[in-house]
Amino acid sequence: MMKVRRFSTAALATVYVAAQIESLMTREAEPVLGLATGSTPINLYRQLVEFHHQGLSFSHVTTINLDEYVGLAADHPQSYRRFMDDHLFSQIDIPLANTFVPNGMAPNLDRECDRYDAIVNAHTIDLQILGIGRNGHIGFNEPDISLKTRTHVIDLTEDTIQANARFFSTEAEVPTRAITMGIQSILQAQSIFLMAFGRDKAWAVKRALSGEVSTEVPASFLQMHPNVTFVLDAEAAVALDDPRTPYPDQENLGSRL
Ligand code: GLP
């Protein structure tokens, strides 16, 4: 049974998740965090930086990120490696060698997926942070007729490309492929906190929690995990109360089905 924690604001929800991470970090000798990018966790990372300023050390922490765009160098302003460096790693005392993000510039992407899987399998992720795409994707596991279990290269859906376009100056620059941890890799974590804020996510949240597992809504696979908490603000929870909430943009189903 998935747990759902609702908060009136995203700010409160963020403090809740930050406190879970802080508690894990003080409990475990060598905690491993699974981290996500996107706008949703930005304030979570800000909160962790604040905790660091209050004395919380990250020197014993390992982080494993979910995904990275193919074709963006680590220092590209929109790469996920750069996102993590800017929002978290450069502001805390974590050894950079303990931070893992797939390499989107690897000359051989299949080999990069194998390398990343080996990293994922060599660690037990104690606490995995997830956001959710408005089409129900997690990491970059997009809706499809089948889902890959392990780390793989994925063609992004039109919906995701459009959702990401706001970060790039021209549409031609928006990456169309990504490397992402697979569904099984994500489900290997000991505990999972999926954060979703805003009405745009309400449909995906509702479908993910619906009691049915479907490759059309990759986040629904989280129902098969024993320790998942959905952390929602009021807007992301609206469809749980009103089942008629429509898909955010009926024009862009964002699915290849
Ligand atoms: C991106 C990321 C996901 C993220 C999602 C939602 O495509 N790969 O990890 O959860 O989209 O992003 P946001 O938090 O900006 O809504």
Side-chain angles (χ1 to χ4, degrees), residues 36-41 66-67 69 80 130-134 137-140 160 164 166-167 195 197 201:
T37 51
S39 48
T40 306
L66 286 166
D67 48 11
Y69 290 119
Y80 283 169
L130 292 179
I132 186 169
R134 46 189 196 175
H137 75 231
I138 48 176
F140 268 133
T160 300
N164 291 336
R166 66 189 192 275
F167 300 114
M195 305 169 75
F197 304 146
K201 304 295 174 69

Side-chain angles (χ1 to χ4, degrees), residues 233-255:
D233 72 353
E235 292 279 291
V238 289
L240 302 179
D241 301 325
D242 179 2
R244 289 161 308 167
T245 305
Y247 187 85
D249 179 352
Q250 297 288 2
E251 305 280 288
N252 293 307
L253 279 172
S255 158

Side-chain angles (χ1 to χ4, degrees), residues 10 18 24 61 66 87 105 118 125 147 169 195 203 212 221 235:
L24 173 84
V61 174
L66 286 166
H87 291 284
M105 291 293 275
I125 294 178
L147 297 178
S169 38
M195 305 169 75
W203 181 89
E212 284 177 20
F221 277 76
E235 292 279 291

